[in-house]
Amino acid sequence: MTERAHLPDLDGTPHANVFPESEPKTVRLTLDAGEGVAPHRHPGRSVVLYVLDGSIELGLDDETHSLGRGDIVRFDGDREIAPLANEASTALVVLAPTADEG
């Protein structure tokens, strides 16, 4: 099965679910300058965040990472995440279920 989406056509801000009901969960995050998302976690997930446009200060627990267009970061969803846009920004976020350790 192949699913296809065109990011600019998706409805929903700041979060637009790219492929509803499919795994891995994929979200387009759109933030205006100065807009952020409250600190939260994604337990049981591995998270990849790719900045498409703009710049984001990404809070991860006690760390802050400055990310710009083309930057990509991967982290454990058990960490506390709090993105804040320095300017109008768009990112693609993929939340994959963490594989069971066997």
Side-chain angles (χ1 to χ4, degrees):
M1 175 161 140
T2 301
E3 292 182 84
R4 182 178 174 171
H6 186 66
L7 287 179
D9 295 341
L10 297 175
D11 289 329
T13 55
H15 303 92
N17 197 341
V18 179
F19 302 112
E21 310 302 321
S22 295
E23 289 290 344
K25 183 174 181 181
T26 306
V27 174
R28 183 202 62 202
L29 177 64
T30 306
L31 300 170
D32 290 329
E35 186 178 14
V37 177
H40 63 285
R41 298 175 192 275
H42 296 282
R45 301 273 182 169
S46 291
V47 181
V48 174
L49 184 144
Y50 174 63
V51 180
L52 299 165
D53 274 314
S55 65
I56 294 173
E57 293 297 316
L58 180 64
L60 282 178
D61 295 328
D62 296 336
E63 304 169 1
T64 301
H65 301 271
S66 296
L67 305 173
R69 181 180 182 170
D71 286 336
I72 188 167
V73 63
R74 183 178 73 158
F75 54 92
D76 188 300
D78 289 329
R79 297 185 71 184
E80 185 175 81
I81 176 178
L84 174 66
N86 296 318
E87 59 186 291
S89 301
T90 303
L92 187 66
V93 184
V94 179
L95 303 107
T98 303
D100 291 334
E101 298 294 323

